[in-house]
Amino acid sequence: MKRVYLAGPFFDDEQIDRIERLEKALTDNETVADFFSPRTEVHDEFEFGSKEWAAAIYKGDKEHLDPAEVVVAVIDYDNDYVDPGTAWEIGYSEAMNKPVILVKEKEGAINLMISAPAHAVVTNVADIANYDFDKLPANEWTGKTF
C-alpha cells in the first residue's frame, strides 16, 4: 500500500469537483495506504494571500510531498496553461524520483515537460479507484504534445 500526494488545482467549481472525485477514488482504492490533498490545508490563522499564509501552505505541502511514494497530478488545463503549483509539484516529484500518475479528463495536448516523465496517464478519474498503486502499471501519453 502506498502513500499518495494529490496535486491539482481547486480554484473553481469544475476543478473542485474533479479533486473531490479523486479524493473519493483514492479513499476507495485498496492499494492506497493514505493520501494528502492540499485542498484540505487551509491555514485560517493567517490572512489569505499573506506572506505567512504562503509560507505555511508551502511548508505543509512540501512536508506531505516528501514522504509520498506516488504523486497523482491533475493536468486539465485552464485554456493552454497547467496550474503552476501543480507543475512545480510534478517537477519536484520527478527530481525526487517519485512516479507521477497524470490525470487528464479534458481533450487537448500536454506539454512535453509533463508528458515525457509521466509514469502513467489516466483519462478518467474513476479509474484511479482501481489503479494498482503497488504494481504501478505504466503507460505513455499517446495524444498531442507541445
Side-chain angles (χ1 to χ4, degrees):
M1 293 179 59
K2 298 285 192 272
R3 290 182 308 241
V4 177
Y5 183 95
L6 175 56
F10 45 92
F11 302 111
D12 63 30
D13 290 342
E14 177 188 22
Q15 293 171 349
I16 292 168
D17 173 68
R18 188 173 298 105
I19 290 291
E20 287 176 342
R21 288 185 289 122
L22 274 164
E23 291 167 347
K24 170 95 170 75
L26 289 167
T27 298
D28 293 345
N29 188 306
E30 294 179 2
T31 63
V32 173
D34 61 26
F35 70 91
F36 174 74
S37 177
R39 184 181 73 86
T40 63
E41 192 165 307
V42 180
H43 287 288
D44 285 333
E45 70 271 26
F46 303 114
E47 180 184 342
F48 179 82
S50 69
K51 185 176 181 178
E52 296 81 11
W53 173 85
I57 294 292
Y58 175 80
K59 180 180 181 221
D61 287 358
K62 193 167 174 308
E63 285 176 350
H64 287 92
L65 188 54
D66 284 341
E69 297 164 285
V70 180
V71 174
V72 172
V74 176
I75 58 161
D76 280 329
Y77 295 91
D78 181 11
N79 295 319
D80 290 332
Y81 302 99
V82 69
D83 170 59
T86 303
W88 183 88
E89 290 161 326
I90 292 168
Y92 182 80
S93 300
E94 170 66 13
M96 300 297 290
N97 296 312
K98 296 176 190 284
V100 177
I101 312 305
L102 300 178
V103 176
K104 180 165 180 52
E105 288 190 313
K106 290 182 176 182
E107 300 269 332
I110 299 177
N111 183 284
L112 68 97
M113 298 303 284
I114 293 175
S115 65
H119 183 81
V121 181
V122 174
T123 57
N124 186 331
V125 166
D127 292 341
I128 291 293
N130 298 312
Y131 183 84
D132 190 334
F133 284 92
D134 290 328
K135 293 182 181 175
L136 290 171
N139 65 34
E140 294 181 354
W141 172 247
T142 58
K144 292 182 181 179
T145 303
F146 63 94

